[in-house]
Amino acid sequence: MKSMTNRLLTTISLLLISNIVLGAVNNFKVNSDLSTLSFATIKLEYVVEAAKITNISGQIDNNGILNIALPIKHIDTGIGLRNQRLNELFFNAANFPDAKVSAKLPEGLLLEDSFMRQLTLPAQVTIFGQTQELNFT
């Protein structure tokens, strides 16, 4: 589970960099139509099952605060029964409908000429109602 969570969180960081688009002046929003979070689960050591979450929402506000919501009910594995089991048994989506990521971006980052920059970003990740700080690189 920890390995899958780490992979999921690494993918979230890539999502944050690649799919945040300019909304209003100094306010950036995730384009939900273009954004998906892809991940894979592994069972029986060798069976990899791909999945994605759609309808992601999020923004960076004028103070550089990033908030992303990943709606668990929008998990799609391509197999209805697997979607249901992930929602109900693994993620408990009835009680925890969203996974959330929030972070404070470094001051001046959005004012730079280029968004292509590698950095380590401490972020708070909430899943199953528990929040933990993780560093995204």
Side-chain angles (χ1 to χ4, degrees):
M1 161 107 172
K2 187 172 182 174
S3 177
M4 186 185 93
T5 302
N6 288 341
R7 280 188 226 140
L8 177 66
L9 298 176
T10 299
T11 306
I12 290 170
S13 68
L14 295 174
L15 167 79
L16 301 179
I17 300 301
S18 64
N19 285 317
I20 295 177
V21 296
L22 183 61
V25 176
N26 295 327
N27 193 17
F28 294 81
K29 294 188 180 204
V30 170
N31 184 332
S32 294
D33 294 331
L34 298 176
S35 301
T36 59
L37 170 67
S38 298
F39 65 98
T41 59
I42 300 172
K43 68 178 185 182
L44 304 174
E45 292 187 55
Y46 303 106
V47 180
V48 178
E49 298 171 336
K52 65 182 177 180
I53 299 176
T54 59
N55 288 19
I56 296 167
S57 62
Q59 68 177 15
I60 301 172
D61 69 16
N62 293 335
N63 297 314
I65 304 297
L66 167 73
N67 287 298
I68 300 288
L70 304 158
I72 301 301
K73 70 180 180 180
H74 287 280
I75 288 178
D76 180 13
T77 64
I79 299 172
L81 182 59
R82 189 179 306 146
N83 297 346
Q84 180 182 356
R85 287 181 177 163
L86 279 171
N87 270 284
E88 294 174 3
L89 302 175
F90 186 78
F91 285 108
N92 191 6
N95 292 321
F96 307 106
D98 293 321
K100 297 178 182 177
V101 178
S102 62
K104 170 81 169 112
L105 298 180
E107 199 155 323
L109 179 68
L110 299 178
L111 300 175
E112 294 179 7
D113 290 339
S114 173
F115 289 123
M116 299 300 289
R117 178 174 156 199
Q118 185 172 350
L119 59 95
T120 298
L121 182 65
Q124 293 70 45
V125 178
T126 303
I127 190 166
F128 302 114
Q130 302 292 315
T131 301
Q132 182 174 357
E133 184 164 305
L134 299 171
N135 289 320
F136 291 101
T137 302

